[in-house]
Amino acid sequence: MYTDTLPRRGPRAIPYPCSRCVTGLTRDPVVIAHRGASGYRPEHTLAAYRLAIALGADYVEPDLVPTRDGVLVARHEPEIGATTDVARRAEFAHRRTAKLVDGRAVTGWFVEDFTLGELRTLYARERLPWLRPGNRGYDGQFAVPTLDEILVLVRHESRRYGRPVGVYPEVKNPSYFASVGLAMEGPVVAALHRHTALQPGAPVYVQSFEPSCLRRLAGLTSLPLVQLVGAVGAPRDLVVAGDRRGYSDLVTPLGLREISTYAGAIGVHKDLVVPPPTVERVGRPTTVVDRAHSAGLLVHVWTLRDENHFLPPELRMGTKPGQRGRAAAEHRRFLDLGVDGVFTDFPDTAVAARAAHRAVGRRRLTIAGAVRS
Ligand code: G3P
Ligand code: CA
């Protein structure tokens, strides 16, 4: 377990390369490729992860769900109709059904109703074709990858580029999958332990929205864990348990201290760091980054995307929602606020923004040195 021998900051081990240095000097924030380079390729495909690494991402982020035979694969949600060609496959038409997922009615095709063999006959499709028409050309080209395949790819690309590339899996809908007999914590940890045994020192984070899932993971591994925090609502496991706390309670000083007993970082919706502007007020930053750091937690923010549709009004360019706006400026905004990492669909934008952020930091240090001497 590579984290055991590394410096600790707060109750959980800080992964290496850590994004903040124990001496207090700020290290580079990490670039996490959200679902791969999903701005350029259909999300959660080996092609998307491979491109993310080529563009300089430090981590690739697979969201994990299990097949009927318990194999972990990369999809963002149990329903696979939105991101594969299953709806066009006559042989699976009878699998279309309605289920309750985390209290929400969903109709479609569900990963847990397919064996890995069946899933392997499907192909990925672009989730946002109206925003990313260029990606439609890749529809039907790439399979749904397993976690093991992603880990092999990451090891291979780390060797190819001569730098450690991390993996940042999310355990998706853990309460839901446990309720259908497909608990994921054990299989996720087993796969990641195999990975770190093959590549000692490999950077890994494991994330979930559900605190109980993270607590179970904490009992199984010393890999660094990340509590995800949504902009609104509450973790599903708390709702099921009748716990009235929501995400907003998780980021109070008390909530953050509790998180620090089982996790080393929070992954927060960007609106919790810079709330969107309203008619009445501009979007002023909150103090969540400082509060989390005070609790010994790193802060990774999600999800930054280049298109106007996802940018605040002042950073949009042109009139089309799919047109790319001044996304680098948004990245810089978060980096300047001291976040330790960003989830992005466009890793090249984040890498460039980080380089600019770093250059400004160096200039400040040079000027401060000149003033002192
Ligand atoms: O895991 C960080 C972020 O990806 C959470 O949002 O919905 O894209 O998995 P989601
Ligand atoms: Ca995710």
Side-chain angles (χ1 to χ4, degrees):
M1 303 305 304
Y2 73 94
T3 51
D4 288 347
T5 55
L6 291 168
R8 296 178 76 90
R9 178 173 172 273
R12 296 281 307 170
I14 297 299
Y16 185 81
C18 65
S19 53
R20 288 175 66 81
C21 177
V22 286
T23 63
L25 294 173
T26 303
R27 291 177 61 124
D28 275 348
V30 294
V31 172
I32 307 148
H34 180 248
R35 313 183 195 175
S38 50
Y40 299 111
R41 297 288 184 277
E43 68 185 38
H44 291 319
T45 58
L46 292 182
Y49 301 129
R50 192 179 289 115
L51 178 60
I53 296 167
L55 294 176
D58 301 303
Y59 288 82
V60 295
E61 190 232 6
D63 292 320
L64 298 177
V65 294
T67 61
R68 192 169 85 199
D69 40 354
V71 181
L72 294 167
V73 296
R75 291 289 93 191
H76 179 259
E77 57 268 303
E79 203 286 313
I80 55 175
T83 60
T84 72
D85 59 0
V86 67
R88 298 164 179 231
R89 302 290 293 276
E91 68 271 37
F92 295 126
H94 66 287
R95 301 267 177 98
R96 187 168 189 270
T97 186
K99 300 194 186 195
L100 264 187
V101 178
D102 290 357
R104 200 167 58 90
V106 180
T107 299
W109 291 261
F110 292 82
V111 67
E112 70 271 18
D113 294 337
F114 288 75
T115 64
L116 179 65
E118 291 169 333
L119 197 73
R120 294 301 241 170
T121 68
L122 304 179
Y123 287 94
R125 294 176 65 79
E126 171 55 45
R127 176 191 293 275
L128 305 170
W130 61 95
L131 285 178
R132 297 172 175 170
N135 291 0
R136 283 191 302 209
Y138 298 106
D139 285 355
Q141 291 193 24
F142 309 123
V144 174
T146 65
L147 173 59
D148 283 339
E149 287 171 336
I150 297 163
L151 296 175
V152 168
L153 173 84
V154 164
R155 281 199 295 275
H156 184 269
E157 298 299 282
S158 292
R159 275 198 294 275
R160 180 145 84 107
Y161 290 101
R163 65 184 175 90
V165 178
V167 63
Y168 202 128
E170 179 182 347
V171 182
K172 275 292 178 196
N173 307 92
S175 290
Y176 170 78
F177 283 117
S179 78
V180 296
L182 290 166
M184 284 191 287
E185 292 86 350
V188 169
V189 168
L192 294 175
H193 283 184
R194 281 196 301 276
H195 174 67
T196 52
L198 288 168
Q199 190 176 345
V204 178
Y205 285 98
V206 190
Q207 43 168 342
S208 176
F209 281 103
E210 299 190 17
S212 61
C213 168
L214 291 165
R215 289 180 192 279
R216 282 191 294 278
L217 288 168
L220 298 173
T221 183
S222 61
L223 290 169
L225 306 177
V226 183
Q227 173 68 62
L228 295 174
V229 185
V232 293
R236 182 63 189 167
D237 57 337
L238 297 191
V239 174
V240 169
D243 187 322
R244 295 169 69 91
R245 285 176 300 163
Y247 289 119
S248 59
D249 299 298
L250 266 50
V251 291
T252 61
L254 184 65
L256 290 164
R257 272 204 303 281
E258 187 174 337
I259 290 171
S260 75
T261 63
Y262 59 84
I266 55 170
V268 293
H269 190 289
K270 65 179 187 174
D271 289 357
L272 291 171
V273 180
V274 182
T278 63
V279 178
E280 294 85 35
R281 58 173 175 76
V282 294
R284 287 192 196 290
T286 68
T287 58
V288 71
V289 175
D290 289 342
R291 292 201 306 272
H293 286 167
S294 296
L297 296 164
L298 300 175
V299 180
H300 297 162
V301 67
W302 46 273
T303 297
L304 306 189
R305 297 166 162 124
D306 283 16
E307 294 99 343
N308 283 338
H309 181 73
F310 303 105
L311 288 169
E314 70 277 14
L315 298 181
R316 294 175 194 156
M317 290 167 67
T319 54
K320 298 198 176 103
Q323 195 172 334
R324 288 167 73 170
R326 294 173 49 226
E330 187 186 42
H331 282 70
R332 289 286 303 283
R333 192 173 282 176
F334 287 102
L335 296 174
D336 289 346
L337 288 169
V339 304
D340 305 287
V342 293
F343 288 82
T344 175
D345 286 9
F346 295 84
D348 49 340
T349 301
V351 168
R354 180 176 61 182
H357 172 76
R358 185 191 294 155
V360 169
R362 273 203 215 99
R363 270 203 301 280
R364 284 201 188 119
L365 280 176
T366 309
I367 292 165
V371 167
R372 273 199 301 274
S373 61

